[in-house]
Amino acid sequence: MAPSAITTTQTEPTATTIKSTIVKGNESQKKEKSALEKISQGVCLPGIPQHPTFAAHRQWMLEKMALAFRVFARKGYTEGMSGHISVRDPENPHTFWTNPLGRHFGLLKASDMILVDYDGNAIGGNMSRPANAAGFLIHSALHKARPDVIAACHTHSPYGKAWSTFCRPLEMLNQDVTYFHGDAQAVYKDFGGVVLTKEEGHRLAAALGQRGKGMILRNHGILTVGDTVDEACYLYTLMERSCQVQLLAEAAAANGVQKVYVPEEAAKYTFESASDPEALYWEAQPDMEWEEEMCGGAHRG
C-alpha cells in the first residue's frame, strides 16, 4: 500500500460528527420538491425547453404563440377583431411579438406575427397588416411595468366578460381557482371604453401589480400573464373556466344554496405547491398537443 494512503493520526468519529453527518443527509433528503416533481409520480416531466440560439428560441416561441391562438379559437374566445397575445422577444426584450389585426385566431401561423417596439413601431415580422392599437397599449404597458412577464393574453371570451360586470375577484371555490390565490389575482376597477391612451395602459399595468398572474377588467373581460406563452395561455383558459364556475355558483347561491369556500390555508398551500412556471407550462401542453394534431402542424408556416 502506498505510504500516502496510511494516516497515523486518524481518530474515531465522535457522536457530534456522526450527528452532523446524519443531519446534513436528512436536510438533503428533505430538500423541497418543485411543483413539477410533486405532481410527477415516477420519472419527472422535463423542465421548460432550452434553446441554443436566439433564432431557435424565437421560432419555438412563435410556433407556441400560434398554437395558443388556435387553442383560443377552438374554445370559442373569438369576438370580431378583439383579442391579442404578446410575447417578449428573447434577444431584444424591449420589443414584443403580437398578432395581426383582423385575422382569425384559428388561422394564425408563426409567420403572421408582428414585432413591435415600446413606441408602437412595427419593426419586424409580417408587417402586411397592422397590430391592434388597443392591444399594443395594454401589452406595452404590461411589459414595461413587469420585466418578468414574457407573455400576456387578453381576449373577449364570454364568461370572462360576464363575470367582469361584477368588478369582483374570483372566489376560492375549488382547487383549480386557487392558482389565482392572493396577489396572483387583481381587479381593474375602471372602464373608459376601448384602451386608446397610454395613461389607461399604465393604470391597467399598475392594477395588476408585481405579483399578478390574472386580472378581471371591469366591463371588459380577463387578462393573464406568464413566464411562457404556454403558461399565460393555460392561465387564461383556467380563468375563463373559473369565471364560468363562479357564475354557476352565484346562480345556485341566489336560490339559497350556501357556498363553501376552500380554507385560506389550503388555498395558499395549493397555490404555492402547484403554481410555478414549469408546472403551469406543462398544464398547457395537453391543449397545445391536441391543437397541433388537429391542425396538422399548420401553425408552423
Side-chain angles (χ1 to χ4, degrees):
M1 183 178 289
S4 61
I6 301 172
T7 304
T8 58
T9 58
Q10 286 180 336
T11 58
E12 291 295 321
T14 65
T16 302
T17 58
I18 292 173
K19 182 178 180 182
S20 175
T21 301
I22 292 173
V23 169
K24 287 179 179 178
N26 287 342
E27 286 177 351
S28 176
Q29 291 173 5
K30 292 179 180 178
K31 182 181 177 182
E32 184 68 20
K33 290 183 177 181
S34 69
L36 208 54
E37 288 171 332
K38 288 177 182 177
I39 203 170
S40 299
Q41 186 67 29
V43 177
C44 185
L45 288 169
I48 298 169
Q50 301 297 307
H51 306 278
T53 65
F54 288 127
H57 189 177
R58 183 179 295 113
Q59 183 61 28
W60 172 80
M61 179 189 73
L62 292 174
E63 290 177 8
K64 288 285 194 169
M65 187 177 176
L67 277 179
F69 276 115
R70 288 169 179 258
V71 168
F72 285 0
R74 195 173 293 276
K75 291 180 179 289
Y77 299 170
T78 58
E79 191 68 64
M81 294 194 295
S82 299
H84 18 83
I85 295 176
S86 65
V87 181
R88 193 187 298 272
D89 187 79
E91 184 175 10
N92 301 296
H94 59 288
T95 66
F96 59 89
W97 295 85
T98 191
N99 51 302
L101 188 64
R103 187 159 176 79
H104 194 279
F105 290 176
L107 298 175
L108 285 170
K109 306 185 296 291
S111 58
D112 288 319
M113 308 309 174
I114 308 166
L115 182 66
V116 296
D117 63 20
Y118 281 168
D119 294 322
N121 301 308
I123 58 173
N126 189 341
M127 295 185 283
S128 63
R129 290 195 187 194
N132 185 308
F136 162 74
L137 291 169
I138 291 171
H139 291 274
S140 63
L142 284 174
H143 286 293
K144 283 181 183 179
R146 290 278 299 275
D148 61 305
V149 165
I150 302 301
C153 300
H154 167 66
T155 77
H156 291 189
S157 48
Y159 296 108
K161 286 194 290 186
W163 180 246
S164 76
T165 64
F166 294 98
C167 196
R168 286 167 45 197
L170 291 162
E171 296 173 333
M172 298 295 105
L173 297 177
N174 53 69
Q175 175 177 301
D176 296 326
V177 77
T178 63
Y179 285 23
F180 297 109
H181 175 265
D183 293 344
Q185 182 183 189
V187 177
Y188 183 57
K189 297 184 177 181
D190 297 321
F191 179 72
V194 178
V195 179
L196 292 177
T197 67
K198 288 184 178 180
E199 292 73 22
E200 182 82 355
H202 293 154
R203 287 194 295 270
L204 193 149
L208 181 63
Q210 291 303 305
R211 295 170 59 84
K213 288 176 174 283
M215 184 158 61
I216 309 293
L217 312 178
R218 175 192 146 193
N219 302 119
H220 192 166
I222 58 177
L223 178 148
T224 58
V225 300
D227 279 34
T228 59
V229 69
D230 308 68
E231 177 183 353
C233 173
Y234 170 69
L235 287 174
Y236 193 95
T237 65
L238 176 61
M239 195 168 222
E240 171 70 3
R241 181 66 63 85
S242 296
C243 288
Q244 180 183 9
V245 171
Q246 180 83 48
L247 290 163
L248 291 170
E250 294 292 325
N255 287 302
V257 182
Q258 184 177 358
K259 287 185 283 188
V260 178
Y261 299 97
V262 176
E264 170 61 21
E265 185 177 346
K268 183 174 184 291
Y269 171 78
T270 305
F271 171 76
E272 292 175 349
S273 298
S275 187
D276 78 351
E278 278 192 342
L280 292 173
Y281 166 83
W282 270 101
E283 291 279 14
Q285 298 319 300
D287 271 345
M288 292 277 192
E289 290 176 3
W290 171 257
E291 189 55 48
E292 184 169 7
E293 182 73 17
M294 291 300 99
C295 76
H299 67 289
R300 297 194 188 95

